[in-house]
Amino acid sequence: MKFIHAADLHLDTPFVSISNFSNSLQEDLKKSTYTAADKVFATAITEQVDFVILAGDTYDNTERTLSAQIYLQEQFERLRKNGIRVYLVYGNHDYYRNDFSVINMPDNVTVFGGEITTSEVTASDGQRVGITGFSYYQNHISDDMVASYPTRGNYDYQIGILHAGIGDGNYASFTVNELLTKGYDYWALGHIHKREVLHQNPMIIYSGDTQGRNQNELGTKGFYLVDVANGTTNTKFVPSSVYVWESAQIDANESDTINGLFDKITSTLSRYNNVEAKHLVTLTINGSQNLDENVIRSIDRNELLNHFAAMNSNTILYKVYTKFDRKSQLVGIDQKYWDESEKNVFDLNDIKDMDNRLFGEEVIRQHIDSPDFVEHIKELTKNTINKKYIGD
């Protein structure tokens, strides 16, 4: 028996902060979630899998576009003609609304509803497989959904599909031990955009998203091809990302001119030139306080970005950040006043209360609620202060 475990395709991701790229590159980025999805479905046919699992957030938004629905309908029809079934749950981005879909999907597609149910399929090798899951029916689910999953049924192999976060009360929170009590052979997880094997034997796996969507989703993305034979589950990660987000750093010194920075950045970007995928690199220039103020102005005017945007390369400079440090003799004094004000200024509840309308937007709320949000804001603040008072 073979199957594919994929999640978080996020079709129609808008991609932001790409206006300085060429029109063709912008279009390619916006198509990349579809190109990555093409790899999922092509691999399913090439490998002659029995079924494909899509573990949530197939669409980027619950207001799924007609073009995305037609695309999936066509891909699922291709799978149907090759004898491949599809098992799909909706996640927090594309949560389940049974009166919404405009397009009817082929009869090889099982879409799980808001209640936890189990579907049965007989694989090509004769194994009876139970597949259990549910779709989100609203943006957030605070209930312990795993508690309502049935224990292992009378199947040769049982799979649980779950779009959720570990210890995340907004998204069907669970623990690994809780999943293990169900006795399933494989848990196909979605929601976290980073592939991770939480447990082996049985397998509990986040496949991650199939295409990185921003500079924080680093590295190659993809999905899992799973082969089950003689009671053993073997997994193979299959890359699918068209564009790979990377993070790089260079160090600045007092002798660096703009041309000197061009050379340093060119050398850094060349590290990725021998890789087949295209790379989007976010660059941090450490020690920017060493640079001449005219060089800093050039960077602020995006001259570095514009220079590299004009180059025809598979490695693309996405953003440039300048990082400023204070002079050592001022650190002690600065730290004293920083420590006195830090607790009062960086209060998470105060930040949330600044604008209730903004905090009501999911993408902003998720960003603010992320564990490293406050620390990130502190670092940005320090950097802004250091830049403003450099030389004082």
Side-chain angles (χ1 to χ4, degrees):
M1 175 181 70
K2 283 185 183 180
F3 65 91
I4 279 176
H5 164 204
D8 297 277
L9 275 60
H10 284 278
L11 299 177
D12 284 335
T13 291
F15 288 97
V16 294
S17 300
I18 59 173
S19 58
N20 61 308
F21 294 156
S22 67
N23 290 336
S24 61
L25 178 53
Q26 291 184 51
E27 285 302 309
D28 286 347
L29 272 169
K30 291 175 181 177
K31 292 176 182 175
S32 63
T33 53
Y34 286 89
T35 309
D38 288 344
K39 182 68 177 289
V40 174
F41 303 126
T43 302
I45 294 171
T46 301
E47 293 289 338
Q48 297 181 311
V49 302
D50 293 284
F51 51 88
V52 173
I53 289 173
L54 298 177
D57 287 355
T58 301
Y59 303 96
D60 189 59
N61 195 292
T62 191
E63 302 293 334
R64 57 203 71 148
T65 64
L66 181 60
S67 60
Q69 292 184 65
I70 291 174
Y71 167 80
L72 283 180
Q73 182 190 49
E74 292 172 346
Q75 296 302 316
F76 293 164
E77 180 61 26
R78 287 179 61 212
L79 297 181
R80 187 192 68 80
K81 291 178 179 178
N82 284 272
I84 300 170
R85 296 196 59 82
V86 177
Y87 295 91
L88 180 151
V89 304
Y90 292 131
N92 57 296
H93 273 259
D94 58 356
Y95 56 87
Y96 183 76
R97 289 159 60 184
N98 60 4
D99 60 343
F100 181 82
S101 294
V102 178
I103 298 296
N104 292 322
M105 294 301 175
D107 59 11
N108 63 320
V109 180
T110 297
V111 178
F112 289 86
E115 300 293 328
I116 296 167
T117 57
T118 300
S119 290
E120 181 179 332
V121 62
T122 300
S124 56
D125 62 358
Q127 292 192 69
R128 289 178 58 250
V129 183
I131 303 176
T132 304
F134 78 96
S135 286
Y136 276 54
Y137 48 86
Q138 60 190 29
N139 186 251
H140 295 106
I141 296 181
S142 58
D143 297 339
D144 180 4
M145 297 300 293
V146 175
S148 298
Y149 273 65
T151 55
R152 182 190 177 93
N154 185 25
Y155 303 107
D156 298 314
Y157 198 88
Q158 186 154 2
I159 300 169
I161 308 176
L162 181 63
H163 191 88
I166 297 178
D168 189 335
N170 288 319
Y171 304 105
S173 179
F174 71 94
T175 66
V176 171
N177 285 337
E178 191 178 13
L179 299 187
L180 293 174
T181 64
K182 301 299 175 179
Y184 293 7
D185 299 282
Y186 190 101
W187 280 94
L189 305 180
H191 182 59
I192 303 300
H193 293 180
K194 177 183 178 182
R195 72 178 187 270
E196 186 174 3
V197 178
L198 300 181
H199 194 274
Q200 296 185 6
N201 192 27
M203 290 291 188
I204 302 176
I205 296 179
Y206 277 115
S207 62
D209 49 351
T210 50
Q211 168 60 54
R213 301 161 65 232
N214 58 58
Q215 68 190 66
N216 297 318
E217 298 182 0
L218 301 175
T220 302
K221 305 295 183 177
F223 55 93
Y224 280 94
L225 174 65
V226 185
D227 190 331
V228 181
N230 300 320
T232 301
T233 301
N234 296 302
T235 60
K236 176 185 177 183
F237 177 74
V238 182
S240 61
S241 45
V242 185
Y243 291 91
V244 177
W245 299 85
E246 302 285 0
S247 177
Q249 301 183 29
I250 61 171
D251 294 322
N253 56 55
E254 294 178 356
S255 63
D256 280 328
T257 62
I258 280 291
N259 284 333
L261 291 178
F262 285 164
D263 293 340
K264 285 185 176 182
I265 296 171
T266 299
S267 176
T268 299
L269 297 183
S270 68
R271 301 173 193 166
Y272 307 103
N273 285 343
N274 295 326
V275 184
E276 291 183 5
K278 298 177 181 179
H279 289 74
L280 294 162
V281 180
T282 299
L283 180 77
T284 299
I285 303 178
N286 294 318
S288 292
Q289 73 277 0
N290 295 319
L291 297 172
D292 182 84
E293 61 181 20
N294 290 315
V295 174
I296 294 173
R297 288 195 189 98
S298 295
I299 297 171
D300 290 342
R301 290 194 295 262
N302 288 329
E303 291 184 15
L304 283 177
L305 276 177
N306 293 335
H307 171 78
F308 286 95
M311 301 176 67
N312 184 17
S313 171
N314 279 348
T315 305
I316 302 148
L317 187 61
Y318 174 63
K319 281 185 178 179
V320 175
Y321 293 107
T322 47
K323 185 174 181 181
F324 296 82
D325 300 315
R326 298 303 301 270
K327 292 182 178 180
S328 58
Q329 64 266 31
L330 297 177
V331 168
I333 299 173
D334 291 345
Q335 192 65 47
K336 176 179 180 294
Y337 288 110
W338 177 269
D339 291 341
E340 290 177 358
S341 60
E342 179 182 8
K343 293 179 181 180
N344 294 325
V345 173
F346 298 101
D347 184 282
L348 187 57
N349 287 322
D350 288 345
I351 295 173
K352 291 179 178 180
D353 291 340
M354 282 182 179
D355 193 323
N356 291 331
R357 291 171 300 173
L358 282 177
F359 191 65
E361 295 293 326
E362 182 195 359
V363 64
I364 296 174
R365 185 170 59 251
Q366 286 182 350
H367 184 56
I368 292 176
D369 284 336
S370 63
D372 59 349
F373 171 76
V374 173
E375 290 304 317
H376 179 61
I377 293 297
K378 288 179 184 179
E379 287 302 314
L380 289 178
T381 304
K382 286 180 182 178
N383 197 60
T384 301
I385 293 171
N386 291 343
K387 179 180 180 181
K388 183 175 182 179
Y389 292 103
I390 204 161
D392 290 355

